[in-house]
Amino acid sequence: MKTTMKVWAGLGLATALVGGGVAGCADDAVNETEATGTAQTGEAGEGEGGESGEGGVSVAHASTDPVVYGSALAVAEAHAIAALDAFKAGKLDPATEMFGHPVGEVLADMEPVFEERGVDDFKQLFFDASTAVAEGKDEAEVTQHYDDIISALRSAAEKAPDNGSSEAAIAAGITADMIERAISMYGEASGTDRYEPYLDGYGFFKTAETSFDGSSDAIKAENDTLHTRLTEALELLSQAYASVERPAELDANQGQLQAAGSSVQLSLPQS
């Protein structure tokens, strides 16, 4: 457990640990951070307009907008997907970190919204998954932790706010948001040899794919043009993120990706 505390301290998760009801562990993380001077804010940060997390999740709107609410859950799911696939590929340190990231990036900030919506706190599930990887647990156990996370996310999704939007429109909005994040992270990954930005983008792409697959027919029936644009963007991303393994060269056409993302945004219903 001490090894995992070092990882969490490095991710800046001590405060979130307290919020997750594991204060004793948090104390260890804080002490480790103070001793090593490795306090970090993680990848997330409070942005303009009360936004937080990679690419921004407007927590202020999550209690009333089902797309924003769903996108927050999708960010967490993206990291879980990326973590599990990285684990299966033998990339244990990135997997450990990726399971922990959503807590500080979005879930801690979403706590008031979850409480308001009657969603049970599920941050501990991410800590458990991260711990399992760090402690060398086998694939069956890590996968079970992943399944528990997905189940909790699906339950939380059922308590999304209702603003009158159709299920198809909501799914399309969430898919579009994940596509935008995947494109953005590919651009960031192209400017560095670090694995993590690519892995983040991979997770966003896989989550966009899952969201779209579950609502493709409904989206097509409601907005055929948007369905086409989403399909085109996901096809390009499937080539950019062909594997959880980062390729030697990131040679996808960034301009083409950005154009596809823009076409998706322009095809979304304007509120």
Side-chain angles (χ1 to χ4, degrees):
M1 176 61 76
K2 193 168 184 180
T3 299
T4 312
M5 286 304 109
K6 291 181 180 180
V7 173
W8 290 345
L11 294 173
L13 297 183
T15 301
L17 281 163
V18 173
V22 280
C25 295
D27 289 342
D28 289 342
V30 171
N31 291 338
E32 184 68 38
T33 298
E34 290 175 347
T36 61
T38 57
Q40 298 179 20
T41 58
E43 295 181 16
E46 197 66 20
E48 295 181 5
E51 294 185 347
S52 62
E54 287 175 330
V57 172
S58 182
V59 176
H61 296 107
S63 62
T64 58
D65 189 329
V67 172
V68 177
Y69 179 94
S71 290
L73 297 177
V75 167
E77 181 173 344
H79 283 76
I81 290 172
L84 181 64
D85 286 358
F87 168 77
K88 290 179 178 179
K91 300 182 180 300
L92 302 188
D93 287 345
T96 300
E97 295 179 4
M98 202 59 58
F99 269 128
H101 279 168
V103 177
E105 286 180 1
V106 64
L107 297 181
D109 290 330
M110 282 287 292
E111 278 185 0
V113 178
F114 289 147
E115 290 177 5
E116 177 186 325
R117 307 300 305 172
V119 177
D120 292 335
D121 186 2
F122 54 87
K123 294 193 302 296
Q124 184 66 48
L125 298 178
F126 288 87
F127 293 134
D128 291 344
S130 180
T131 300
V133 177
E135 294 183 348
K137 302 301 183 182
D138 62 21
E139 183 173 327
E141 183 166 341
V142 173
T143 299
Q144 183 58 59
H145 285 298
Y146 168 83
D147 290 342
D148 291 343
I149 287 171
I150 298 302
S151 178
L153 291 172
R154 295 293 178 266
S155 295
E158 293 176 358
K159 298 184 178 180
D162 182 359
N163 68 352
S165 297
S166 68
E167 291 186 9
I170 294 168
I174 294 170
T175 302
D177 184 63
M178 293 300 104
I179 286 173
E180 195 74 8
R181 292 169 189 270
I183 292 171
S184 176
M185 294 310 295
Y186 194 85
E188 182 174 330
S190 297
T192 177
D193 59 0
R194 293 175 56 240
Y195 177 50
E196 286 74 12
Y198 177 87
L199 185 57
D200 279 328
Y202 169 87
F204 291 134
F205 157 62
K206 299 302 285 187
T207 304
E209 196 173 50
T210 298
S211 174
F212 183 70
D213 288 347
S215 303
S216 177
D217 290 344
I219 295 171
K220 184 175 179 61
E222 190 168 292
N223 190 331
D224 186 60
T225 298
L226 176 57
H227 182 275
T228 298
R229 298 294 178 261
L230 290 169
T231 300
E232 292 170 346
L234 287 170
E235 174 59 30
L236 289 174
L237 286 171
S238 71
Q239 299 170 33
Y241 294 107
S243 168
V244 70
E245 301 268 6
R246 176 178 170 137
E249 291 188 15
L250 299 181
D251 54 7
N253 188 309
Q254 187 67 22
Q256 195 174 20
L257 286 171
Q258 291 175 339
S262 296
S263 293
V264 167
Q265 294 298 321
L266 290 171
S267 299
L268 289 170
Q270 301 302 310
S271 57

